[in-house]
Amino acid sequence: MTAHRLLLTTFMKTVFVTGGAGFIGSAFVRLLLEENSDFEIINFDALTYAGNLENLKEFDETRHKFVKGDITNREEVFNALPDGCEAIFNFAAESHVDRSINSASEFVLTNVLGTQVLLDAARAKNVRRFCQISTDEVMGSLPEDENTFFTEESPLKPNSPYAASKASAEHFVRAAHETFGVDTIITRCGNNYGGRQFPEKLIPLVIANAMNNEPIPLYGDGKYTRDWIFVEDHCRAIRLAFEKGKSGESYNIGARNERQNLDVVKSILDALGKPHSLIKFVTDRLGHDRRYAIDAGRVEMELGWKPRVSWEEGLQKTIQWYRENQDWVNRVRSGAYRDYYKNLYGMEVGVK
Ligand code: NAD
Ligand code: TYD
């Protein structure tokens, strides 16, 4: 072992990040590598269609060790997780609602069983804190015309198979805390946006399609509301919840930025100088949640968090990232993506 490596392993705190090659997980890994010089990261990811090591290509292996593995595979998890690490951050998931409507089993496996395997491993290997990255979608849908918000006390009322699997995972995290005293934190965030998001999700789909002058599929009347947050702000809130959060607590994370889908799409088209006529209203998603809106009072008061990036700035940065990384877009809109797209929307995409 070199003196440098010895020094690193003596003073470093190890954190185990699952799903760290995906959109939010890679942003979290980047944040820790850039701002927490005393952390070394084991990034455990199965590299499904949504995982992409290109997302972290600028980092060498000094403080970032990548392990390809599946969180549902007990042996792979136990082999990769060292004893006594600071934290598990569980980002790994099947994350797209439309895919869960088409087939839910993968969601049960990864999001529920995978979380339980990680909880077992956390207990067996004396992990100091378990951080479960959850979603506001576990709380169902809010009425559109009322001044109501999701709080940490809102009941879990998931409507999509994706949300049901994430809610179920939360219950297992809670059970590990109550039954075995595992030190747990649950964060529930709203819709993230930023560079490196897979273009099955609304914002990158709109940017990618618009850049290629392809129709933008908009579900139903387009007046569904989401509470958008720039991905780096979400990651900073997770880090604060890990550092300062109370064991066993949940934290809702949101930037108080509700937008209707139609307005989001128009803003992107305007920024790209593309006509609104690209918008194509399509058959609505089954069980489509009307509105999400988060009361972020607890993370603001208890953790001292507030978002740093405004919607206007975040959207401009996001569009710029996709403009500058068209090769990335072309690569992820591969044959498998084109098949997925055709099956879901009945339209072709990415065909030149
Ligand atoms: P993503 O789909 O971009 O990435 C998921 C990552 O998990 C990929 O790298 C994939 O390879 C990996 N993965 C999937 N199955 C795995 C398995 N069985 N074992 C190991 N790795 C596996 O997802 P994302 O948008 O980055 O979301 C990350 C987490 O944040 C998820 O838990 C999601 O539920 C949650 N979340 C997402 C949002 C959002 O707006 N995207 C909002 C709130 C919460
Ligand atoms: P999405 O990015 O899939 O996130 P979620 O369903 O987890 O909120 O969708 C965001 C919103 O955009 C949601 O109301 C569904 C809508 N949407 C469309 O109208 N058309 C699309 O092609 C997609 C992917 C989403």
Side-chain angles (χ1 to χ4, degrees), residues 7 17 38 41 72 84 95 97-98 114 123-124 182 187 190 201 249 261-262 285:
L7 205 66
V17 176
D38 54 342
I41 296 159
T72 68
S95 68
V97 172
D98 288 324
R123 282 176 60 211
V182 178
T187 58
K201 307 276 179 10
E249 282 290 2
N261 293 339
L262 184 56
R285 172 187 278 176

Side-chain angles (χ1 to χ4, degrees), residues 95-98 135 137 162 191 197 199-205 216-220 222 224-226 228 261 282 285 288-290 292 340-341 344-345:
S95 68
H96 191 41
V97 172
D98 288 324
T135 163
E137 302 191 26
Y162 162 66
N191 286 60
Q197 186 171 30
E200 63 191 354
K201 307 276 179 10
L202 181 70
I203 287 184
L205 185 151
I216 313 288
L218 196 55
Y219 294 145
Y224 292 81
T225 300
R226 295 294 182 262
W228 295 96
N261 293 339
V282 298
R285 172 187 278 176
H288 198 170
D289 285 338
R290 192 63 173 166
Y292 302 144
Y340 156 83
Y341 197 96
L344 180 62
Y345 300 104

Side-chain angles (χ1 to χ4, degrees), residues 11 15 41-42 65 78 101 126 147 166 206 235 287 292 302-303 314 326 331 341:
F11 296 108
V15 296
I41 296 159
I42 299 174
K65 183 179 164 209
F78 275 68
I101 294 168
N126 302 307
N147 205 18
K166 294 295 289 187
V206 174
C235 291
Y292 302 144
E302 209 180 285
L303 305 181
Q326 300 206 17
R331 271 196 291 280
Y341 197 96

Side-chain angles (χ1 to χ4, degrees), residues 229-250:
I229 182 171
F230 192 63
V231 63
E232 288 169 19
D233 280 327
H234 178 197
C235 291
R236 286 196 189 92
I238 294 170
R239 183 174 60 186
L240 268 178
F242 156 67
E243 289 167 351
K244 293 169 62 175
K246 287 200 197 96
S247 181
E249 282 290 2
S250 301

Side-chain angles (χ1 to χ4, degrees), residues 18-25 44-52 69-72 90-96 110-111 133-136 162 166 188-193 196-198 200-201 234:
T18 72
F23 165 51
I24 306 174
F44 186 87
D45 193 302
L47 296 182
T48 68
Y49 76 91
N52 190 343
D70 186 329
I71 59 167
T72 68
N90 182 25
F91 291 87
E94 289 294 335
S95 68
H96 191 41
T110 288
N111 300 359
I133 315 308
S134 193
T135 163
D136 60 351
Y162 162 66
K166 294 295 289 187
R188 295 184 190 135
C189 192
N191 286 60
N192 284 225
Y193 67 102
R196 304 179 183 81
Q197 186 171 30
F198 194 80
E200 63 191 354
K201 307 276 179 10
H234 178 197

Side-chain angles (χ1 to χ4, degrees), residues 6-22:
L6 183 64
L7 205 66
L8 276 180
T9 44
T10 314
F11 296 108
M12 287 287 148
K13 294 183 216 153
T14 305
V15 296
F16 192 80
V17 176
T18 72

Side-chain angles (χ1 to χ4, degrees), residues 193-217 228 230 264-274 278 311 314-326 328-330 333 337 341 349:
Y193 67 102
R196 304 179 183 81
Q197 186 171 30
F198 194 80
E200 63 191 354
K201 307 276 179 10
L202 181 70
I203 287 184
L205 185 151
V206 174
I207 299 172
N209 284 22
M211 285 192 317
N212 290 289
N213 301 309
E214 291 161 339
I216 313 288
W228 295 96
F230 192 63
V264 170
V265 173
K266 284 181 180 167
S267 301
I268 296 170
L269 291 173
D270 293 345
L272 286 167
K274 300 288 181 177
L278 281 178
W311 167 246
L315 195 59
Q316 190 250 323
K317 278 183 166 184
T318 305
I319 292 172
Q320 190 180 340
W321 189 88
Y322 284 91
R323 274 186 144 152
E324 288 171 358
N325 290 278
Q326 300 206 17
W328 184 99
V329 176
N330 292 339
R333 296 205 320 166
Y337 179 77
Y341 197 96
V349 79

